[in-house]
Amino acid sequence: MSNANSNSARMKTIFRSKTAKALDRMEDPRETLDDSYDQQVKLLQQVRLAVAEVATAKKRIELQGEEMGARYQRLGSQAAEALAQGREDLARAALERRAMLEGQVAQLQKQFTSLQQQTAQLQERERRLTDQVAAFRIEKETIKATYTASEAQVRANEAVSGISNSITDVGSSLDRARDRVAQMQARAAATDELLASGALTDLTAAPDADIERQLAAVSAQAEIERQLQALKGADAPGAGGGSAQSGSGGWLGIGQGGA
């Protein structure tokens, strides 16, 4: 049972490792940062929209309060005028309406005060969020620039490493080529010696070329013996300057006969 658990844990570890590597290849941190920044900007826009909506509602209540305040003042004037004209009933009705209006104004004042507090809170949140978004944007661009520079450095290092490997491969290829050339030269020299000795048959040579080659070797040896005897005769007493004559013709006389 323990072996099964151990194998299962090991498989989970391998799976997590491979998954993490795959995610690293698929996920570009620059895109992730841009997405996060876009989300924060959207949240900031929502807060600003909420601030605008609350401000609009507060303005609407403020206008309504001003209208109710004007009516309140008008009812007071009407009550005084009615009482001056002896219409106490009208004055009482105006004062009753004014009293009712006071209750409505009181409720409106509470709403207005609440909206003022909400507006102040939202404006403070908007200010803080604006600062956070601005700071995040600067940090985001810094991280992106650093990542891009590091990525370029990695590519440059990989390129240099690839060049080094290529140079190493080229050096190995040159060494192998030199060995092959040396082997081929040695083989060519060996086959030349074998052809010269007759051990190999030169299929491109003329018929009886081997006999001609041997006769030429005998003639060359005989010519050497003749020249040797001529030199010995020239060194004998009474011999007349044969060596001097042999050199009188210069280099054009070499090999043209005579000692």
Side-chain angles (χ1 to χ4, degrees), residues 240-259:
S243 59
Q245 291 179 359
S246 64
S248 61
W251 65 274
L252 292 175
I254 295 176
Q256 301 299 320

Side-chain angles (χ1 to χ4, degrees), residues 82-176:
L83 187 61
Q85 294 179 5
R87 295 292 306 272
E88 185 177 345
D89 56 334
L90 291 178
R92 183 178 289 106
L95 291 176
E96 289 176 353
R97 293 181 182 179
R98 188 182 183 188
M100 186 182 299
L101 190 60
E102 285 180 1
Q104 295 176 355
V105 170
Q107 293 294 328
L108 202 62
Q109 288 173 346
K110 291 181 181 179
Q111 294 180 10
F112 184 79
T113 302
S114 176
L115 288 176
Q116 276 186 322
Q117 294 176 353
Q118 292 181 18
T119 301
Q121 292 175 356
L122 287 174
Q123 288 176 343
E124 178 63 18
R125 291 177 183 176
E126 179 192 4
R127 185 187 63 79
R128 292 182 180 179
L129 187 56
T130 300
D131 293 341
Q132 291 177 0
V133 171
F136 181 79
R137 182 181 64 82
I138 295 175
E139 185 176 4
K140 169 181 74 74
E141 294 301 328
T142 302
I143 294 175
K144 286 175 60 178
T146 303
Y147 182 86
T148 301
S150 300
E151 185 181 40
Q153 183 177 1
V154 169
R155 290 180 179 176
N157 291 340
E158 290 177 349
V160 170
S161 177
I163 291 174
S164 299
N165 293 334
S166 299
I167 292 176
T168 302
D169 294 340
V170 169
S172 300
S173 299
L174 287 175
D175 291 339
R176 290 195 299 272

